[in-house]
Amino acid sequence: QLSLFRFTVKRPFSTSHSSVDSKEIKKFQLLAHKWWDEEGEYAALHSMNDIRVPFIRDTLLSMSSNYHLGNPLSGIKILDVGCGGGLLSEPLGRLGASVTGIDPVEDNIRTADQHKSFDPVLAERIQYKSSSLEEIVEESMETFDVIVASEVVEHVADLETFIKCCSQVLKPEGSLFITTINKTQLSYVLGIVVAEKIMGIVPEGTHEWEKFVPPEELERLLESNGFSVKTVSGMLYNPLSGSWSWMESRSLNYAVHAVKSGAPAQSHATDTLPETDIQQRSATAGTAG
Amino acid sequence: SSSAMAALRGRALLAPLGARLSAGPRAPLRSAASAPPLYDVLVSGGGMVGSAMAAVLGHDIHFHDKKIALLEAGPRKEYDQMPDSYSNRVSSISPGSATLLSSCGAWDHVCSLRLKPFRRMQVWDACSEAMIVFEKDDLDDMGYIVENDVIMSALTKQLDAVADRVEVFYRSKAVGYTWPLPSHSCDTSPWVQVELADGRRLQTKLLIGADGHNSMVRQKAKIKNIEHKYDQSAVVATLHLSEATDNNVAWQRFLPTGPIALLPLSDTASSLVWSTSHDHASELLAMDEESFVDSINSAFWSNINHSDFIDTAGAMFRSAISLLKPSGTAVRQLPPSVAKVDPESRAMFPLGMGHATEYVQHRVALIGDAAHRVHPLAGQGVNLGFGDIACLAHHLSAAAFNGSDLGSLKHLLKFETERQRHNVSLIAATDVLKRLYSTTLAPLVLLRTWGLQATNALPPVKVRI
């Protein structure tokens, strides 16, 4: 019965080992200057911050014993993969994290750089680089405490490669946060037909239902690549109020928190790495940007 | 996409936010390197409300690493000890406001300087016997009469305590504001530019206008203000009572010309707030001290405005109530009589009401009298401002902890909705009361007489007030 939904006759997987799909790049290039209009094409992503930032923040706080509520993510190095115009990088930066934002679309990086440049605190804490994940792997082995890949995995060409690369640049015991869309009849109807074609919540053509990822498959790929999945939560967008909320069902949008298994001798299971360790790693690993 | 599709776009069904951008001079192109100092929050106006806003944010844990600025046109005000005589500008502080001041550590200073708690408020009509008494069942304090200078001094101390986060600019007046374009327009500064009288420039991510009922922030932001000058002025003075008494009752009597209130300062002194016509106010200021004192005593004690009709009708209603609800009529206490007025303490200022149609815009919020101005008859003025602070600080604190842009309309609108809901009904009610009590016409007097008596008999209504 799924044949009803195969409207898009595209070839989602490139033959290269890259996780970047060139067709996806073109789609986002056209909208590069629209990122920061809170009421524009990306309004739903702006309001998604209201749940994904607290999700990331509170998960990290609960795993740490040493933090200050005035600067909760201070000392944490975060990689924002597919950062777009920096919508998620900036709040994480404001909360004290050192953020590296990467995106294959140069125009997005230009927009993101421009937007952060007026705020000296953000300008220092956030570095943007036009790059794919694979391109930074070599210079960033085990560099980051946290990776966030929000609304990204439904656009990548090869999900397993993507996850392997995440594992390589993540420190042991590091956290991976993913938000994405499930592949269900409901997500086709609401996520594509209604969201894109009828209500315009998402710019038309943004998503291809073929590339949506069911949580079971994502979990399987994560677990078989050295990750332990800690949380999977459903998310719901209310187009009337323009706001997101958590929900039990994962049949539409969902969020995942996974932890990279660490070498046992490294550190305490529930503590972040001590300050000196972090500084040492920054010195030896060349960070992007 | 077609306009029909645009209409269906999944945006919040609020008034379009695009309309909340002020017309006015636009921020110039700047690079971050040569830019004026940038603050996370800048409060314009260092009165009680502006100073408290800065102090509360400065003591908020989520603002620990933020930069706050406070602009005050006047000099720094701090007292280690109050002068012997009382200032003629006092405020009635509600328990909720006391809690707010406590949260930033200022209330302790107020208590160590001076204040007068009161347990009871007696409000009555000059045209009848109708009276309403407010008091809390548990004999807790209903409120506190505090000199404005005391509150300012306490707040100054607490601002000093967070000087690493809050920078106070004394003797600094803002003369111009420049507004940013909406945040998606990339090439100009996204911040609010503030120009000071001495030529210095500051930038801020959020501008809070606490600059009083003639707010320049509000005017420059082109926010419409509904305002109305009452044909009344308030006369204030510091009075000395004929004899020492517990003095823990606040008295207010509605005369046809306006309400006269006696607010306790100590066992022997009270503060006068007499709202009356401009001419009468000028007379009161001009007359000699003895005549002034006589006028006050007469205003509280005289029955000249009673009419037999009203008295009888009122008495009948009272008997009716006592049949239905035996405890519904309260014992009338007698207000103290006044012996002396502090020389030099008489002053007057004109009264009006005002309400801003919007409390917020992109990167701008109004609090206190800049947003709303009421008649002193309800003793609410500064308490509304403190309520604004509690609400705005709550939303800003949450926004800071979410890493949000502090000037974003999203959370500012939540503040506006909550406070307008609360303030509008109170301001309207105060305005109605003021007009209702400005007449001697029998039907209206009867209405308010019965209304007051009925209100006095009904506990739930009284508690809400």
Side-chain angles (χ1 to χ4, degrees), chain A residues 77-139:
Chain A
K77 293 192 64 176
I78 302 184
L79 175 68
D80 183 1
V81 183
C83 61
L87 266 60
L88 182 51
S89 296
E90 287 202 5
L92 294 175
R94 284 195 198 98
L95 291 179
S98 300
V99 184
T100 301
I102 61 171
D103 197 283
V105 180
E106 262 188 55
D107 286 340
N108 288 348
I109 295 297
R110 238 196 300 278
T111 303
D113 262 328
Q114 238 271 344
H115 196 265
K116 72 155 193 182
S117 68
F118 292 101
D119 185 338
V121 168
L122 288 185
E124 205 204 301
R125 284 188 190 156
I126 307 175
Q127 305 305 320
Y128 291 113
K129 189 168 177 182
S130 174
S131 164
S132 69
L133 181 56
E134 291 86 347
E135 283 161 14
I136 65 156
V137 163
E138 267 181 51
E139 65 199 27

Side-chain angles (χ1 to χ4, degrees), chain B residues 32-90:
Chain B
S34 63
L38 173 65
Y39 294 89
D40 293 288
V41 178
L42 188 148
V43 182
S44 184
M48 286 190 285
V49 172
S51 300
M53 182 84 245
V56 166
L57 287 179
H59 282 81
D60 186 297
I61 191 149
H62 299 305
F63 272 75
H64 193 266
D65 281 14
K66 305 258 182 265
K67 288 177 63 178
I68 301 164
L70 173 64
L71 295 183
E72 167 51 29
R76 184 185 158 92
K77 285 188 191 148
E78 194 182 358
Y79 302 89
D80 281 314
Q81 224 186 324
M82 296 306 293
D84 283 334
S85 59
Y86 286 89
S87 158
N88 61 9
R89 295 308 305 268
V90 306

Side-chain angles (χ1 to χ4, degrees), chain A residues 33-34 36-41 43 46-47 50 53-54 57-58 61 68-72 90-92 94-95 111 114-115 117-120 125 197-201 204 237 239-242, chain B residues 5 8-13 16-18 29-32 38 40 61-66 182-184 186-191 203 205 362 398 400-406 408-410 414:
Chain A
H33 57 290
K34 300 277 178 99
W36 287 100
D37 179 1
E38 281 188 34
E39 289 290 283
E41 274 80 355
H46 276 278
S47 66
D50 293 341
V53 173
R57 174 198 75 204
D58 293 342
L61 285 179
H68 188 283
L69 284 174
N71 214 346
E90 287 202 5
L92 294 175
R94 284 195 198 98
L95 291 179
T111 303
Q114 238 271 344
H115 196 265
S117 68
F118 292 101
D119 185 338
R125 284 188 190 156
K197 301 186 197 303
I198 296 181
M199 294 195 77
I201 298 167
E204 191 162 351
Y237 182 67
L240 294 178
S241 64
Chain B
M5 276 222 262
L8 286 173
R9 276 184 186 274
R11 291 187 192 146
L13 296 177
L17 298 186
L29 179 61
R30 281 189 198 289
S31 77
L38 173 65
D40 293 288
I61 191 149
H62 299 305
F63 272 75
H64 193 266
D65 281 14
K66 305 258 182 265
S183 46
H184 63 281
C186 294
D187 43 359
T188 54
S189 169
W191 315 128
Q203 298 189 93
K205 300 175 189 174
H362 180 57
F401 195 43
N402 279 351
S404 301
D405 177 351
L406 289 176
S408 166
L409 259 181
K410 220 161 22 158
K414 289 186 193 160

